[in-house]
Amino acid sequence: MSIMQPLAFPKLITWMLQELAESHSLFGIPNDKVFRNIPEKKYRLFGEELSTPIGPAAGPHTQLAQNIVTSYLTGCRFIELKTVQIIDGEDLPVSKPCIYAQDEGYNVEWSTELKVEEALEEYIKAWFLLHVLMKELDLSSTRDFIFNMSVGYDLEGIKSKKIDHFIEGLKDARHTKIWEECFQYLEKNLDKFSNFTIDDLYNISPHIASSITLSTLHGCPKEEIEQIAEYLLEEKSLNTFIKLNPTLLGEDFVAKTLKDMGYDYITLNSHHFKNDLQLDDGIKMLKRLRMLASNLHLEIGVKLSNTLPVKILRNELPGEEMYMSGRALYPLTINLANILAQEFNGDLLISYSGGVDYFNIDKVLETGIRPITFATTMLKPGGYLRALQMAEKIKSMYIEKNQIDIDKLAQLANEAISDKYHLKNYKVNKFKLRSKLPLWDCQIAPCKNTCPINQDIPEYLKLVSEKRYDEAFKVIIKDNSAPFITGTICNHPCETNCTRLEYEKTVKIREMKKVATQNAIDNYLSKLEVTPLKVSEKVLVIGAGPAGLSVSYFLRRAGVDVTVYEKREKPYGMVQYVIPDFRIADNIIAKDFALVEKSGVKFKFGVDENFVLDKLRKEYDYIVLALGTWKETDINLQGNKEKMYHALKFLEQYKTKKDLSLGEEVLVIGGGDVAIDCARAAKRVQGVKKVKIVYRRTKEYMKASQEEIAEMLAEDIEIKELLNPVSFTDNVLHCEKMVLGSLDSSNRRAPIGTNQFTDLPFDSIVIATGETLDSDILKQNGILLNEQNYPVINEDNETNIPNVYVAGDMVRGPKTIVSAISDGKTVAKAILNKLGLDNNFTETKLSFSTPELLEKKGILIEPKQNNEEAHRCLACNHVCELCVDVCPNRANITILINNKPQVIHIDGMCNECGNCAVFCPHDGKPYVDKLTIFWNEQDFYRSNNIGFILLDEEKGTFKVRLENQEVVSYTLGEKSISSKFMEVINTCIEKYRYLL
């Protein structure tokens, strides 16, 4: 267990100066990335100046001095210090992990984990450090930042001696011990600095904060909120923000907004809406307090908004309730801001926080709202550098008036609920890879490792971005026998795990594959030479679908004699005969077939589908069965079968232009891509006026891809959600109404019957609930089947009959085209291995520019519409460092060992918030699994982390915990530990001494 340890002021100075000298960075922020802006006009707040009106919200980014410094370096100038309360330190029960920011943010902590006195010290240390950096880095000639303190949660606690000492210490820090220590250290060590002078030191004001933000717990009585505000104004003479809760909007509005935006899985706690401050009471209170503040020549405003309390139902964090922030909170908060601004005709001081990021910060600022703070966006990949991008975006903006433009704000509030960046379906959640987090060299490309055929995706995207299409195409077809088809209709699992999802939206990987193929395939085919046969053995493949053609292509290009039998007259199975032409054109299928055919594979079409393995094995040494799953599965639905179509037969009739008489209204039962195809095809049949999908869950839980659903909806096809078909009579489908329960084994909310029913009229029904394998021919040939009636196979897809393999949907049921190709690759590898031939699947090695990749960190951008889209790739297998980005405490650090980046963990700077574990692509926790540096023996022995502690610098002695958990003593120069471990320790001593 890590216990966060504030760094002493001399240590902070030493760290910064040494890191700047050695690495040209400060707490991981490159010196050339430090925000430099001296505007002609500065914003004014409470009589003080700000060069930017933005900064970190009271939270993880203002808990420690180094966090505040890092915020300042990246353009933040309004520093809202983390909230303090009377319960502090070890007495404060904070569940761990406490942060989960994968999409909308959640947390279960609300105030500093430090003791109040320690928090005061951190803020004063940070105050000095910012003044030093301001001069040393030539960022401003005069102070251009403001500290805003934050306290909670009740009047008794705020009036306590502990909190009163904190407030008074920030109002005037001269009489605090830490002020003296910082001042004296700087005075004695001025020779360490190039630009910071004694005059600069004496010009540092001891008046650190003249403003305060009041945070109260949910359910705090309205009278007490007002009493605290009066106390802060009258007794403490502080300009005051009152933090208000989104519950002011009312449960109906909040619930409907979240549902309309796709966050229907977020479950509210109704009692908060009843017990929290009500809107009318809040407005009346503000009017009274504004009069009081005016009489005292102080200012009072609102902080919008607090986080939204929601129930924990999916084990995101420990406990029963957590607090939501981030992009889902933005439409709520901006609407609350609009309601209050309208009430006060724009004459209201609003400190805004609630889902602000690069895409909306300028819009919020244009309304006249300021200051603007944020936290969740900086908890995502890119981290503090996201603040830099926001600061750069608004640095040329200056909003002169202090009044809020209520018309602009009203428009912004109205647009927010439909803003694509805040809709849930704008992006999908990534998921963890099954790989264990390595101690070293942990960079990994989630797209490649999610792709069933392990395409070298960052490599071919790089080539596409450079318009080197021929080279990109060669990288693609190394693992992919159907580049044009997969570039057109692949379900692209790579895109569902692209790191860009953590920024804005996935790289359009499939589209870039298509760009490469369109530009290169003809040239490639014109020069394609057949590989001479290298062995005498022959292979027969039965089935010319994606799986059969895959294994055929990979074997033939390696020099193996391959023949394919296909019962139909054309190749590519369901792609050819079932998938509608509005999704894929015939010429695309033909190009991919030409790739296989011209490689030397022999084909026999129109072959009788009944085969006898014993006979075929006399002619062929290896046989691969790729029969597909063409047998329709029935659902338990009673009614007149004449009005019912099965999906595959329906789609085949549609594609072969056979006459279909469906009537005017068609119902499609199902929720996968095939169901979508059926619905879109039915809509194109002459005479059809209405098509509806009937689905027992909601749209969010359909297995069909998001873009397919979007295209269907654009064609005015309706989804009838939460309906389970039971029976049909004449022209009426009888359905049971469903509700969503808890998550099931598919990680979707399970549909639960309500015993309430409704009827849907129709003229035709299409059943799209899946297909299965017709296993009779397998049984006749002695192939063992499992309980699901699929072949029993080994890891190479080999059946119980030696050298007889299976591939594609018949392995495990209907899957995807790329999964079928993957099966072909698996079987080809196995056969080539038996034949002693190279499989040609060698990983592509390209040189990537690390500085160029690092330039992309923290930069949110709009997805592109052309081959420039490939530039958005982050090449995560070359530069990752997500755990470094998202740690607010800077506890995960990149060091260079032999010019190769390695991530190490600093135990004393970690509070185990868990955020790095959320974003690490591996199934691991960087704060547990990465090599760790410890600062004291107590922490070393309290932990099980692999790592080391420096015991005696002069003697060069260490305690080291090895990979096997053995603890050993080590002295520099010995060879008692691994060479990798020695490299880390030597590198830290030589180049990163400040870490120890």
Side-chain angles (χ1 to χ4, degrees):
M1 177 181 177
S2 299
I3 297 179
M4 188 170 54
Q5 301 170 32
L7 292 165
F9 188 73
K11 172 74 172 177
L12 285 162
I13 292 290
T14 301
W15 182 315
M16 291 194 304
L17 294 178
Q18 287 187 4
E19 184 183 350
L20 192 58
E22 291 284 350
S23 305
H24 308 290
S25 63
L26 286 158
F27 296 117
I29 305 301
N31 189 28
D32 61 359
K33 291 272 190 179
V34 172
F35 180 73
R36 290 173 167 84
N37 178 43
I38 304 176
E40 292 182 12
K41 293 183 178 181
K42 292 184 179 179
Y43 290 91
R44 294 191 65 81
L45 183 63
F46 311 135
E48 301 175 69
E49 289 187 335
L50 288 164
S51 60
T52 67
I54 66 173
H61 301 93
T62 57
Q63 181 159 241
L64 297 175
Q66 67 263 26
N67 305 13
I68 295 170
V69 168
T70 312
S71 299
Y72 176 72
L73 294 171
T74 52
C76 298
R77 295 297 182 264
F78 181 82
I79 311 297
E80 188 180 80
L81 305 171
K82 191 162 188 182
T83 308
V84 299
Q85 62 160 316
I86 191 170
I87 305 173
D88 62 355
E90 295 178 359
D91 296 329
L92 182 65
V94 178
S95 300
K96 297 298 176 71
C98 57
I99 295 175
Y100 188 90
Q102 185 186 60
D103 188 1
E104 67 275 12
Y106 298 110
N107 73 82
V108 291
E109 49 83 51
W110 54 90
S111 61
T112 181
E113 295 174 49
L114 301 174
K115 290 186 178 296
V116 171
E117 183 63 29
E118 290 175 323
L120 176 65
E121 292 175 357
E122 285 300 287
Y123 304 154
I124 294 174
K125 285 187 285 186
W127 181 257
F128 274 100
L129 292 173
L130 265 54
H131 280 86
V132 169
L133 289 169
M134 181 182 76
K135 291 293 185 175
E136 195 66 9
L137 301 179
D138 194 25
L139 302 181
S140 181
S141 58
T142 59
R143 176 167 63 87
D144 64 342
F145 56 87
I146 291 176
F147 277 22
N148 169 254
M149 66 179 105
S150 177
V151 297
Y153 290 98
D154 55 34
L155 183 58
E156 182 181 0
I158 291 171
K159 294 176 86 171
S160 69
K161 183 177 180 180
K162 182 190 295 187
I163 302 300
D164 188 68
H165 175 72
F166 172 85
I167 293 172
E168 292 300 324
L170 288 180
K171 285 174 61 180
D172 189 342
R174 280 175 294 188
H175 305 298
T176 63
K177 182 180 178 182
I178 188 65
W179 176 273
E180 284 298 318
E181 290 176 0
C182 296
F183 192 95
Q184 290 176 12
Y185 177 83
L186 291 174
E187 191 174 38
K188 292 176 182 178
N189 290 275
L190 285 169
D191 59 325
K192 294 180 182 289
F193 307 107
S194 300
N195 300 321
F196 183 74
T197 67
I198 188 68
D199 289 337
D200 296 324
L201 176 61
Y202 278 93
N203 282 332
I204 297 176
S205 170
H207 304 294
I208 293 174
S210 65
S211 65
I212 195 165
T213 297
L214 166 63
S215 184
T216 57
L217 294 176
H218 291 277
C220 183
K222 59 185 179 182
E223 297 81 7
E224 184 167 7
I225 296 173
E226 188 164 0
Q227 288 169 8
I228 299 171
E230 290 171 346
Y231 169 76
L232 296 174
L233 290 165
E234 294 176 326
E235 302 295 326
K236 294 299 163 186
S237 299
L238 288 168
N239 300 292
T240 303
F241 289 115
I242 301 175
K243 187 180 286 187
L244 298 178
N245 298 322
T247 50
L248 284 168
L249 291 163
E251 185 173 9
D252 289 345
F253 179 86
V254 171
K256 184 178 185 306
T257 299
L258 292 175
K259 183 178 185 301
D260 290 347
M261 294 171 62
Y263 301 93
D264 66 316
Y265 54 86
I266 294 176
T267 305
L268 305 174
N269 275 322
S270 297
H271 66 87
H272 289 307
F273 291 88
K274 298 173 185 174
N275 299 328
D276 280 4
L277 179 70
Q278 300 298 299
L279 184 61
D280 288 345
D281 292 331
I283 291 171
K284 293 173 184 175
M285 177 186 72
L286 280 174
K287 289 179 178 178
R288 292 190 293 268
L289 290 172
R290 279 160 55 88
M291 291 182 61
L292 174 62
S294 178
N295 292 335
L296 296 170
H297 304 291
L298 293 169
E299 293 188 65
I300 192 163
V302 293
K303 173 65 186 286
L304 303 179
S305 70
N306 208 344
T307 49
L308 178 69
V310 300
K311 293 180 180 179
I312 298 174
L313 298 176
R314 298 188 295 169
N315 299 314
E316 297 93 339
L317 292 170
E320 296 180 355
E321 184 174 73
M322 58 189 176
Y323 302 92
M324 188 197 81
S325 60
R327 70 189 190 108
L329 187 60
Y330 170 70
L332 301 177
T333 305
I334 202 69
N335 271 277
L336 180 56
N338 178 51
I339 290 170
L340 293 175
Q342 299 292 337
E343 180 66 34
F344 290 91
N345 199 31
D347 183 22
L348 180 65
L349 181 60
I350 296 178
S351 174
Y352 185 91
S353 182
V356 168
D357 63 16
Y358 171 75
F359 292 117
N360 59 23
I361 191 167
D362 53 333
K363 298 173 186 175
V364 177
L365 188 59
E366 282 174 351
T367 68
I369 288 176
R370 59 178 182 266
I372 299 171
T373 62
F374 35 78
T376 303
T377 191
M378 291 198 298
L379 289 168
K380 297 177 182 292
Y384 287 93
L385 290 175
R386 289 175 173 239
L388 176 64
Q389 189 190 21
M390 289 188 278
E392 291 287 352
K393 185 175 187 178
I394 65 160
K395 74 178 183 181
S396 60
M397 293 176 62
Y398 179 77
I399 310 300
E400 183 78 41
K401 56 186 177 182
N402 291 318
Q403 188 103 351
I404 293 173
D405 187 325
I406 56 175
D407 292 332
K408 280 188 177 180
L409 181 55
Q411 182 179 353
L412 190 59
N414 184 56
E415 295 170 350
I417 295 176
S418 59
D419 186 331
K420 68 179 181 180
Y421 293 112
H422 301 277
L423 299 179
K424 181 61 183 179
N425 64 5
Y426 176 66
K427 64 178 187 178
V428 298
N429 287 344
K430 278 179 60 182
F431 53 88
K432 287 276 191 181
L433 301 176
R434 294 179 180 176
S435 54
K436 180 182 177 183
L437 175 58
L439 191 63
W440 322 103
D441 303 324
C442 55
Q443 298 93 337
I444 193 169
C447 56
K448 173 182 170 65
N449 284 269
T450 309
C451 174
I453 52 176
N454 292 112
Q455 293 258 258
D456 292 325
I457 294 169
E459 284 69 27
Y460 78 66
L461 288 178
K462 172 180 169 65
L463 294 169
V464 170
S465 73
E466 296 168 358
K467 299 186 178 181
R468 294 158 63 185
Y469 301 121
D470 291 338
E471 294 171 72
F473 183 71
K474 289 177 182 177
V475 173
I476 292 166
I477 62 172
K478 174 175 64 70
D479 303 288
N480 191 340
S481 58
F484 223 153
I485 291 171
T486 54
T488 306
I489 58 172
C490 182
N491 70 318
H492 53 64
C494 54
E495 293 186 18
T496 64
N497 225 29
C498 172
T499 301
R500 267 284 167 197
L501 286 167
E502 317 288 19
Y503 280 83
E504 22 16 44
K505 204 164 187 178
T506 178
V507 175
K508 296 176 182 176
I509 299 170
R510 182 180 72 185
E511 191 172 309
M512 295 303 98
K513 182 183 297 176
K514 189 172 183 178
V515 167
T517 303
Q518 285 174 321
N519 284 279
I521 192 168
D522 288 337
N523 183 50
Y524 182 85
L525 291 174
S526 69
K527 298 176 181 178
L528 180 59
E529 296 181 359
V530 176
T531 305
L533 295 178
K534 297 179 180 179
V535 292
S536 59
E537 288 86 350
K538 295 192 296 182
V539 178
L540 173 66
V541 177
I542 301 179
L549 293 180
S550 168
V551 67
S552 304
Y553 173 69
F554 294 137
L555 288 173
R556 187 62 193 86
R557 77 176 184 191
V560 181
D561 187 325
V562 183
T563 301
V564 178
Y565 288 179
E566 168 57 45
K567 66 179 180 179
R568 293 176 179 258
E569 299 303 319
K570 292 182 180 180
Y572 271 112
M574 291 191 185
V575 180
Q576 181 79 250
Y577 288 96
V578 172
I579 298 178
D581 52 9
F582 54 78
R583 285 192 61 206
I584 186 163
D586 288 345
N587 68 307
I588 288 175
I589 302 171
K591 292 283 187 185
D592 277 352
F593 178 62
L595 175 66
V596 181
E597 188 177 37
K598 289 192 174 186
S599 70
V601 177
K602 294 172 286 189
F603 288 90
K604 292 184 179 180
F605 291 101
V607 178
D608 187 346
E609 62 183 358
N610 293 310
F611 57 84
V612 179
L613 278 179
D614 287 343
K615 182 179 178 181
L616 294 173
R617 291 177 73 200
K618 293 176 182 178
E619 185 179 354
Y620 296 97
D621 300 280
Y622 298 91
I623 296 175
V624 182
L625 305 178
L627 308 178
T629 51
W630 289 83
K631 184 179 179 181
E632 303 276 6
T633 56
D634 282 322
I635 63 172
N636 187 21
L637 187 63
Q638 301 301 314
N640 182 357
K641 303 299 182 183
E642 292 180 3
K643 298 176 182 291
M644 184 191 300
Y645 292 81
H646 280 289
L648 297 189
K649 290 176 182 164
F650 165 73
L651 288 171
E652 191 166 352
Q653 283 183 267
Y654 172 82
K655 192 161 186 180
T656 54
K657 310 301 182 187
K658 288 187 178 179
D659 289 337
L660 287 166
S661 180
L662 302 179
E664 294 187 354
E665 192 152 347
V666 179
L667 300 180
V668 178
I669 300 172
D673 284 325
V674 172
I676 303 297
D677 284 347
C678 290
R680 296 181 67 195
K683 191 69 187 287
R684 288 165 168 77
V685 172
Q686 188 172 1
V688 173
K689 294 182 178 178
K690 287 185 180 180
V691 178
K692 298 174 184 176
I693 290 255
V694 182
Y695 186 55
R696 58 183 185 153
R697 289 184 170 96
T698 57
K699 179 182 69 175
E700 290 72 26
Y701 296 106
M702 293 178 78
K703 287 189 175 181
S705 61
Q706 290 291 333
E707 57 259 68
E708 295 300 323
I709 295 172
E711 288 184 19
M712 179 190 71
L713 294 174
E715 294 175 5
D716 199 27
I717 295 170
E718 186 181 352
I719 301 175
K720 302 297 290 185
E721 299 177 324
L722 296 172
L723 293 180
N724 187 39
V726 177
S727 63
F728 60 95
T729 306
D730 296 327
N731 289 68
V732 174
L733 180 66
H734 194 50
C735 300
E736 183 178 11
K737 294 181 180 180
M738 313 297 281
V739 293
L740 292 179
S742 56
L743 296 178
D744 61 15
S745 58
S746 69
N747 203 33
R748 296 180 296 166
R749 292 179 65 185
I752 300 172
T754 63
N755 205 31
Q756 297 178 352
F757 298 87
T758 188
D759 292 332
L760 297 175
F762 71 91
D763 293 306
S764 298
I765 291 180
V766 180
I767 308 297
T769 54
E771 306 80 37
T772 189
L773 173 67
D774 188 347
S775 58
D776 290 345
I777 188 70
L778 302 182
K779 293 175 184 176
Q780 294 167 15
N781 281 279
I783 293 177
L784 289 179
L785 304 178
N786 59 25
E787 293 178 355
Q788 288 75 41
N789 240 19
Y790 289 100
V792 174
I793 56 175
N794 64 15
E795 65 276 7
D796 293 327
N797 285 20
E798 189 176 17
T799 69
N800 59 296
I801 302 175
N803 296 335
V804 175
Y805 297 81
V806 294
D809 290 352
M810 67 177 295
V811 174
R812 67 193 72 81
K815 289 293 181 181
T816 61
I817 295 169
V818 72
S819 293
I821 297 171
S822 175
D823 276 327
K825 187 175 175 181
T826 297
V827 173
K829 279 183 176 181
I831 294 175
L832 290 171
N833 186 52
K834 285 187 177 183
L835 294 174
L837 296 177
D838 182 12
N839 61 39
N840 301 126
F841 296 125
T842 308
E843 188 174 18
T844 304
K845 300 288 186 182
L846 292 180
S847 176
F848 284 76
S849 166
T850 299
E852 185 178 315
L853 294 177
L854 290 173
E855 279 296 315
K856 299 181 184 183
K857 277 191 172 293
I859 305 299
L860 281 70
I861 54 178
E862 282 273 12
K864 304 294 184 182
Q865 299 302 316
N866 49 39
N867 68 301
E868 290 183 12
E869 169 72 2
H871 284 287
R872 296 177 60 237
C873 175
L874 298 167
C876 308
N877 53 337
H878 295 271
V879 173
C880 178
E881 302 177 10
L882 297 183
C883 61
V884 177
D885 294 351
V886 304
C887 177
N889 292 357
R890 322 309 282 154
N892 299 318
I893 291 177
T894 302
I895 65 174
L896 292 177
I897 300 177
N898 296 326
N899 290 320
K900 186 169 185 179
Q902 299 288 354
V903 172
I904 60 173
H905 179 66
I906 309 298
D907 177 78
M909 295 168 68
C910 177
N911 65 334
E912 296 188 346
C913 73
N915 198 44
C916 61
V918 172
F919 290 100
C920 177
H922 296 282
D923 186 12
K925 302 175 180 178
Y927 68 94
V928 174
D929 299 327
K930 298 305 292 183
L931 186 132
T932 301
I933 293 177
F934 295 90
W935 288 343
N936 62 65
E937 286 193 78
Q938 183 181 4
D939 290 342
F940 179 84
Y941 285 108
R942 182 167 39 218
S943 172
N944 291 319
N945 285 19
I946 298 164
F948 63 91
I949 178 174
L950 174 62
L951 298 177
D952 190 309
E953 185 172 1
E954 289 188 9
K955 296 179 181 178
T957 57
F958 296 80
K959 271 280 192 295
V960 178
R961 181 178 292 107
L962 303 174
E963 289 92 329
N964 63 1
Q965 289 293 303
E966 181 185 2
V967 175
V968 300
S969 296
Y970 170 70
T971 301
L972 286 175
E974 291 181 350
K975 295 185 178 180
S976 57
I977 59 176
S978 69
S979 59
K980 200 79 172 182
F981 237 125
M982 286 191 289
E983 285 177 346
V984 173
I985 290 176
N986 290 335
T987 301
C988 287
I989 289 288
E990 293 169 9
K991 295 184 177 180
Y992 304 95
R993 178 65 188 80
Y994 53 88
L995 299 179
L996 306 178

